[in-house]
């Protein structure tokens, strides 16, 4: 508990860079990626504020173990109950269990034990947005760059990860074609195999295993991506994060004034409960943040303001709720 409290220090103004002068600033991948995620934070927050009519509150913080971040949260807005966009650049050393949480590549860590700490560098942008209206979808995105130094005989590693996914509570075919179509176009510009591969990966990653259903209706997701040179993969990551607003905002504008019933609002609360279950039980980003003594407010920003767990709640056959649940249990192709 004490370590987590000491891990952050609020600063009045966001620093020009969160990188270490002469160390990270001389690294073309680290320095460029920080610019990408900070520019994306600015542009996405501006697009969301323009729709909501309320500004984001900003906290800038530094971390005793190294690095820091900029958290922006729009709370109790006109359109969003809570929307957050966080940027962080952190470095230092982490326990081996945090390393395991950070990567999906379990083979590289096999039989390596828990001795020592792993030197690392991580930079990323993450966001979750929970609208008021049940006809407006929740949206999540995360893009990150990760490096480790040699540890227990494992050479230093680097990789990119991330993606953008959408969690409505009702199916609107046109919305899903727009959202998935936007990301298919992004993927196709960089590699024609990406969309099908990353869409499947998204459906599999965001699966609530104990429920046998996905958290939402997918998007793209990738991790441990290092099969091309870093600049090439970074170009893809930049294109993807820069299309968050284009994929999401038109859907919100279309539905923000839709009327809704109390039953529809209740279904939204039930699905938010599923969101909480995934994030606290399965999400590797949450696990990594907690195991590295990260900033708790930033880590748990993804939680909705309200959620519900109704005992053995089963939608009636033939309803829109049942159709949505079927899509979560049997992922569909939207484009």
């Amino acid at each position: 508990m004490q370590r987590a409290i000491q891990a952050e220090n609020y600063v009045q103004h966001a620093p020009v860079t969160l990188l270490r002068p002469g160390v990270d600033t001389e690294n073309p991948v680290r320095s460029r990626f920080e610019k990408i995620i900070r520019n994306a934070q600015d542009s996405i927050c501006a697009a969301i504020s323009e729709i909501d009519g309320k500004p984001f509150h900003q906290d800038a913080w530094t971390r005793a173990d190294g690095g820091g971040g900029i958290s922006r949260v729009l709370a109790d807005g006109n359109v969003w109950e809570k929307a957050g966009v966080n940027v962080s650049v952190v470095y230092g050393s982490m326990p081996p269990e945090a390393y395991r949480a950070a990567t999906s590549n379990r083979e590289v860590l096999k039989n390596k034990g828990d001795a020592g700490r792993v030197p690392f560098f991580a930079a990323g942008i993450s966001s979750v947005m929970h609208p008021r209206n049940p006809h407006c979808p929740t949206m999540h995105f995360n893009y990150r760059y990760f490096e480790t130094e040699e540890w227990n005989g494992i050479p230093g590693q680097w990789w990119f990860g991330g993606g953008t996914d959408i969690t409505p509570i009702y199916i609107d075919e046109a919305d899903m074609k727009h959202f998935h179509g936007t990301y298919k176009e992004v993927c196709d510009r960089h590699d024609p195999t990406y969309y099908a591969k990353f869409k499947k990966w998204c459906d599999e990653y965001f699966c609530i295993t104990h429920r046998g259903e996905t958290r939402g209706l997918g998007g793209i997701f990738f991790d441990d991506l290092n099969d091309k040179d870093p600049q090439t993969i970074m170009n893809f990551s930049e294109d993807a994060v820069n299309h968050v607003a284009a994929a999401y905002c038109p859907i919100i504008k279309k539905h923000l004034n839709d009327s809704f019933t109390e039953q529809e609002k209740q279904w939204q609360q039930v699905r938010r409960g599923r969101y909480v279950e995934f994030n606290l039980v399965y999400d590797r980003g949450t696990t990594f943040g907690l195991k590295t003594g990260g900033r708790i407010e930033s880590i748990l920003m993804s939680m909705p303001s309200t959620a519900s767990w109704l005992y053995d709640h089963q939608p009636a056959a033939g309803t829109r709720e049942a159709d949505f649940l079927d899509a979560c249990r049997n992922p569909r192709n939207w484009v």
Side-chain angles (χ1 to χ4, degrees):
M1 175 70 77
Q2 188 67 20
R3 182 177 183 274
I5 292 173
Q6 291 180 350
E8 64 188 58
N9 176 49
Y10 290 99
V11 294
Q12 189 170 5
H13 302 290
V16 174
T17 179
L18 295 163
L19 299 174
R20 292 166 287 187
V23 179
D24 306 316
T25 54
E26 303 306 311
N27 183 306
V29 177
R30 295 181 183 182
S31 58
R32 183 184 163 202
F33 194 74
E34 188 202 23
K35 290 184 177 70
I36 288 170
I37 60 178
R38 292 191 61 171
N39 288 341
Q41 185 184 44
D42 289 342
S43 62
I44 293 167
C45 287
I48 296 302
S49 286
E50 182 180 4
I51 296 172
D52 191 273
K54 187 173 181 178
F56 281 75
H57 168 80
Q58 175 174 292
D59 287 322
W61 50 277
T62 59
R63 184 172 176 268
D65 289 347
I70 302 163
S71 298
R72 292 183 186 169
V73 176
L74 190 161
D76 195 25
N78 298 305
V79 177
W80 283 274
E81 288 185 3
K82 184 166 70 170
V85 185
N86 293 338
V87 160
S88 64
V89 176
V90 295
Y91 38 81
S93 65
M94 59 184 170
E97 64 265 27
Y99 191 4
R100 293 186 178 92
T103 178
S104 63
N105 186 356
R106 297 291 184 263
E107 281 303 309
V108 75
L109 302 175
K110 196 172 182 180
N111 301 320
K112 292 299 179 181
D114 294 310
R117 294 177 65 84
V118 186
F120 79 98
F121 170 93
I125 181 170
S126 62
S127 171
V128 177
M129 302 187 183
H130 294 289
R132 294 182 179 280
N133 193 310
H135 298 294
C136 290
T138 286
M139 186 272 299
H140 157 262
F141 70 87
N142 172 281
Y143 292 90
R144 58 194 177 275
Y145 174 69
F146 209 95
E147 284 186 28
T148 63
E149 297 177 21
E150 188 277 335
W151 170 76
N152 267 8
I154 301 174
Q157 309 285 316
W158 65 267
W159 66 85
F160 290 86
T164 307
D165 63 281
I166 196 160
T167 304
I169 66 161
Y170 292 104
I171 296 174
D172 183 311
E173 294 274 354
D175 293 348
M176 292 304 98
K177 287 180 180 178
H178 169 77
F179 183 85
H180 282 265
T182 298
Y183 274 99
K184 185 178 186 304
E185 290 176 359
V186 170
C187 289
D188 288 351
R189 280 195 289 272
H190 299 269
D191 188 320
T193 70
Y194 272 180
Y195 176 74
K197 180 165 60 177
F198 295 163
K199 192 269 185 190
K200 182 175 184 291
W201 202 339
C202 187
D203 291 335
E204 292 173 349
Y205 177 77
F206 290 107
C207 179
I208 308 169
T209 307
H210 61 269
R211 297 278 189 183
E213 63 191 54
T214 57
R215 186 178 73 177
L217 298 185
I220 62 169
F221 177 83
F222 59 95
D223 207 359
D224 301 309
L225 200 61
N226 58 8
D227 58 341
K228 301 178 182 179
D229 71 88
Q231 294 292 340
T232 297
I233 303 175
M234 189 155 47
N235 290 341
F236 166 63
S237 298
E238 180 177 22
D239 200 5
V241 74
N242 285 344
H243 278 80
V244 166
Y248 181 55
C249 289
I251 297 173
I252 295 297
K253 291 177 181 178
K254 175 180 172 182
H255 294 289
L256 63 87
N257 292 317
D258 287 2
S259 61
F260 57 88
T261 66
E262 185 59 36
Q263 178 185 350
E264 289 169 337
K265 188 66 178 176
Q266 184 183 72
W267 178 239
Q268 180 193 49
Q269 297 299 301
V270 170
R271 294 311 305 178
R272 283 181 173 181
R274 300 291 200 269
Y275 208 94
V276 172
E277 288 178 31
F278 176 84
N279 283 24
L280 292 181
V281 177
Y282 299 109
D283 186 71
R284 290 207 308 273
T286 301
T287 303
F288 172 78
L290 294 174
K291 289 184 180 297
T292 55
R295 182 174 182 262
I296 300 302
E297 290 302 318
S298 298
I299 296 167
L300 299 183
M301 178 205 72
S302 62
M303 297 299 114
S305 300
T306 58
S308 179
W309 286 264
L310 300 180
Y311 181 75
D312 196 26
H313 182 70
Q314 300 294 334
T319 62
R320 295 182 68 198
E321 290 84 359
D323 183 44
F324 179 85
L325 194 55
D326 176 75
C328 291
R329 291 172 175 168
N330 303 285
R332 302 174 186 177
N333 292 321
W334 304 104
V335 292

